[in-house]
Amino acid sequence: MHKTFLLFIIIIGALVAFCGYFALLVNWIQDYSNDVYSHNRLEAVLESGALLLYTYFGIKFFQRHVNSLR
């Protein structure tokens, strides 16, 4: 029962995190296509870095929690 509840919470959290990640990715693609980053290099570095960190920590999170459910 405890592992089922934990798995449910992880799945809900993953869906919420995926929606947030998708929104950030769409924003990044729109800014890149509208040439926003050529005018504001700091925004390009910060948003790209945030996406990379978010991806890295998301992968680490899943590796840790999926391995603990086995």
Side-chain angles (χ1 to χ4, degrees), residues 15-70:
L15 288 173
V16 169
F18 180 75
C19 289
Y21 179 75
F22 185 72
L24 287 173
L25 188 60
V26 167
N27 181 32
W28 186 86
I29 291 170
Q30 287 176 343
D31 286 350
Y32 185 78
S33 3
N34 292 334
D35 209 25
V36 171
Y37 294 143
S38 66
H39 303 297
N40 193 349
R41 301 271 186 212
L42 180 62
E43 183 179 359
V45 169
L46 291 177
E47 285 187 9
S48 300
L51 279 170
L52 289 173
L53 283 173
Y54 194 84
T55 303
Y56 173 77
F57 286 121
I59 290 170
K60 287 295 189 184
F61 175 82
F62 278 110
Q63 284 177 345
R64 186 179 25 201
H65 288 309
V66 169
N67 287 337
S68 71
L69 292 174
R70 291 183 184 177

Side-chain angles (χ1 to χ4, degrees), residues 2-13:
H2 176 68
K3 285 195 177 197
T4 305
F5 181 70
L6 181 62
L7 183 62
F8 178 72
I9 295 298
I10 289 173
I11 289 171
I12 296 298

